Amino acid sequence: MPENTVTTPLAPMEPEDVVDAFAYIQALQARDIDTAGAVADETGAELHRLLLDVAARVFSPDTAADNHDGEPCAHSFLAAALGRLLLELLCHGVCLANAPGVARTIILFTDNVLTEDHGDVAAVLRQLEAAGMRQAMEAYPAHHRTTA
């Protein structure tokens, strides 16, 4: 995890990782336990790392706002610290350290922070997935040619 998420960009996830992580998160958000279980079985132990990668991208960039002049302000550092704290809890917290705990934390964060008045969480998760996939495809263009 980067020391300063305000200034250190995260390395892109691989396209397949984006698909797997968001398939799991969206299945849990829709309360589709069968699909979530199938994704978890298929992804295996790697799922936890993938969900932490998504959490890093959801919490840190979205909490690291600037003062609209392109420069971080006091609030952006406080918000980035909150994002790092959430990630720390997910990485080392006893009750949050499993895949469902991480995914539910992403869903709750999306619901409480990234949507207005508890709007369409599924739509915001799809937007986050699309943004992650764009970044992944730019970073790993060979995957696009082999998976398309």
Side-chain angles (χ1 to χ4, degrees):
M1 190 171 0
E3 183 64 30
N4 183 346
T5 57
V6 174
T7 58
T8 306
L10 297 167
M13 293 176 70
E14 296 208 16
E16 297 85 6
D17 293 346
V18 173
V19 169
D20 291 341
F22 276 96
Y24 184 79
I25 293 166
Q26 290 165 338
L28 276 185
Q29 193 271 328
R31 292 184 173 87
D32 183 352
I33 302 305
D34 292 336
T35 299
V39 171
D41 287 345
E42 185 176 308
T43 308
E46 189 71 4
L47 181 60
H48 187 254
R49 183 193 61 78
L50 299 180
L51 292 171
L52 290 175
D53 282 351
V54 169
R57 284 154 181 74
V58 170
F59 298 156
S60 297
D62 288 315
T63 56
D66 64 34
N67 66 358
H68 303 289
D69 293 329
E71 295 295 321
C73 63
H75 294 107
S76 64
F77 290 105
L78 177 62
L82 172 62
R84 283 194 302 276
L85 176 61
L86 285 170
L87 289 173
E88 187 67 25
L89 284 171
L90 291 175
C91 289
H92 304 290
V94 175
C95 63
L96 299 175
N98 57 34
V102 176
R104 285 190 180 99
T105 302
I106 292 168
I107 293 164
L108 288 171
F109 184 86
T110 302
D111 185 29
N112 290 298
V113 176
L114 302 181
T115 61
E116 291 187 27
D117 297 321
H118 303 284
D120 189 352
V121 174
V124 174
L125 289 172
R126 286 190 299 274
Q127 291 172 358
L128 291 168
E129 178 183 22
M133 186 56 76
R134 277 191 304 278
Q135 184 184 38
M137 296 310 288
E138 289 171 4
Y140 302 97
H143 287 292
H144 179 65
R145 287 190 293 272
T146 59
T147 59

